[in-house]
Amino acid sequence: MIAGIGIDVTDIRRVVAAVERNKHFTQRVLTVDEIKQLDELSDKRKYEYIAGRFSAKEAYSKAFGSGLGSQVRFHDLCIVNNEAGKPIFSKQPFDGNAFVSISHTDDIVVTQVILEKRG
């Protein structure tokens, strides 16, 4: 049974500006495991990755029903790519299944998260 659905759209240029303006932005948004994957990417792809994770965490907080910062913080969520390259939640506070989809163009990233109750 679906417990929540969240969607988010993020402008990649705004993330680029945030990273350039604040040297701690990436560490504030990404977990250690996400940063390990980020370090393996080319420069252009790095910004898409950061924007995608930022957007997916926003979408998760909407599906969770709390928004970021109150009950769910950036580091409560970890989204890594599995062996096939599919993004998956390796860490999340919902007591059930969490599914994520991330898609982007050169300018924007759109994400969707579905939370499913177990049982």
Side-chain angles (χ1 to χ4, degrees), residues 26-53:
T26 301
Q27 289 77 19
R28 187 171 69 91
V29 173
L30 300 182
T31 66
V32 171
D33 288 342
E34 291 166 327
I35 290 173
K36 285 178 187 174
Q37 286 192 336
L38 175 72
D39 289 342
E40 298 174 8
L41 302 174
S42 67
D43 286 343
K44 179 183 184 301
R45 183 70 183 104
K46 283 183 181 185
Y47 289 118
E48 294 168 348
Y49 185 93
I50 297 166
R53 279 10 186 218

Side-chain angles (χ1 to χ4, degrees), residues 4 6 10-11 17 19 23-24 26 28 34 39-40 52 54 56 60 65 68-69 72-75 84 86 105 107:
T10 298
D11 185 335
V19 169
K23 65 180 181 175
H24 300 293
T26 301
R28 187 171 69 91
E34 291 166 327
D39 289 342
E40 298 174 8
F54 176 87
Y60 182 98
L68 272 170
V72 178
R73 299 186 193 317
F74 285 118
H75 282 238
K86 177 183 176 182
T105 67
D107 300 319

Side-chain angles (χ1 to χ4, degrees), residues 67-80:
L68 272 170
S70 58
Q71 294 179 14
V72 178
R73 299 186 193 317
F74 285 118
H75 282 238
D76 294 334
L77 305 167
C78 183
I79 306 158
V80 293

Side-chain angles (χ1 to χ4, degrees), residues 3 8 16 19 24 30 32 35 37 42-43 49 51 57 64 66 68 71 91-92 97 101 103-104 106 110:
D8 188 74
V16 170
V19 169
H24 300 293
L30 300 182
V32 171
I35 290 173
Q37 286 192 336
S42 67
D43 286 343
Y49 185 93
K57 292 176 183 194
F64 197 75
S66 67
L68 272 170
Q71 294 179 14
K91 176 183 170 186
Q92 54 97 11
N97 299 315
S101 181
S103 186
H104 58 80
D106 288 337
V110 62

Side-chain angles (χ1 to χ4, degrees), residues 2 4-10 52 55-63 79 87 89 98-103 109-115:
I2 293 177
I5 299 173
I7 191 167
D8 188 74
V9 177
T10 298
S55 180
K57 292 176 183 194
E58 286 280 355
Y60 182 98
S61 73
K62 293 170 184 174
I79 306 158
F89 282 98
F99 303 96
V100 61
S101 181
I102 303 172
S103 186
V109 61
V110 62
T111 57
Q112 182 175 27
V113 171
I114 298 174
L115 300 179

